[in-house]
Amino acid sequence: MAAPIVLPETFTSAVAGLRAAAPRDEILLEEVGAPQRLAPYAFALSATVLRDGDEVATGRLILLHDPAGHEAWEGTLRLVTYVTAELEIDLAADPLLPSVGWTWLTDSLDAQGADYRALGGTVTQTMSTRFGDLAGPPAAGDIEIRASWTPLGADLHAHLLAWCTLLASTAGLPPPGVTALSDRRPAGAA
């Protein structure tokens, strides 16, 4: 019988913080396989964001831990994310979209008090038009946010909540407790 694998306390605390956070109802989280070659220890979550039953954004959050540390990380833990959502074509064409997308990330981290350093990443906007046998819906646009940062401390609860806020912003969900005007029914409507 093989001896049980003992995981570092920093890693187990970090994973516990990710598992403990409860996202808003529109965000479905699932533990998925993590890449094994990036660090000695890894954990991953995938997310699907639903609006009115339709998938409007997806994401992945990966926790990496190297007890020896990484110079580029400036620490022993690293969070890596990928978030993507389809956008209305006029929004996807906005030249300010990459800056706004990056602000969604930094504002989310700051609002949740998720302290970090060594933050870096990219925001990509794409527009697609289908032709020939693929012709169909009108032009579509997408945003992709790829980023990584080093959390300060092993309690990652606030980092997961920040990531969920980023997902909600990317998906165009209103803040919790706010009802979009288009979602409101007129008085007396059934």
Side-chain angles (χ1 to χ4, degrees), residues 155-176:
D155 182 359
L156 300 188
H157 183 265
H159 291 268
L160 183 76
L161 293 176
W163 183 61
C164 289
T165 301
L166 169 64
L167 285 159
S169 295
T170 306
L173 297 180

Side-chain angles (χ1 to χ4, degrees), residues 2 12 27 73 76 100 103 107 113 120 128 132 135 137 139 151 186:
T12 57
I27 300 174
W73 296 358
T76 62
V100 170
T103 300
D107 285 356
S128 302

Side-chain angles (χ1 to χ4, degrees), residues 17-44:
L18 293 175
R19 286 179 172 154
R24 53 193 286 179
D25 292 340
E26 301 94 335
I27 300 174
L28 307 175
L29 299 180
E30 179 182 4
E31 290 183 25
V32 295
Q36 299 301 308
R37 296 184 180 158
L38 301 176
Y41 304 95
F43 174 81

Side-chain angles (χ1 to χ4, degrees), residues 32-128:
V32 295
Q36 299 301 308
R37 296 184 180 158
L38 301 176
Y41 304 95
F43 174 81
L45 293 169
S46 72
T48 303
V49 183
L50 302 174
R51 185 175 50 222
D52 299 325
D54 294 326
E55 181 179 299
V56 292
T58 60
R60 180 171 258 197
L61 182 68
I62 301 167
L63 166 65
L64 304 173
H65 176 56
D66 187 341
H70 247 272
E71 186 176 329
W73 296 358
E74 299 179 29
T76 62
L77 293 172
R78 190 76 174 164
L79 288 167
V80 180
T81 190
Y82 168 79
V83 172
T84 185
E86 189 171 314
L87 301 173
E88 295 175 12
I89 198 68
D90 57 335
L91 184 56
D94 189 329
L96 296 176
L97 179 62
S99 296
V100 170
W102 190 253
T103 300
W104 290 335
L105 172 62
T106 58
D107 285 356
S108 297
L109 289 165
D110 295 342
Q112 292 296 332
D115 296 329
Y116 61 90
R117 67 174 155 240
L119 174 66
T122 62
V123 177
T124 305
Q125 64 193 107
T126 59
M127 293 187 298
S128 302

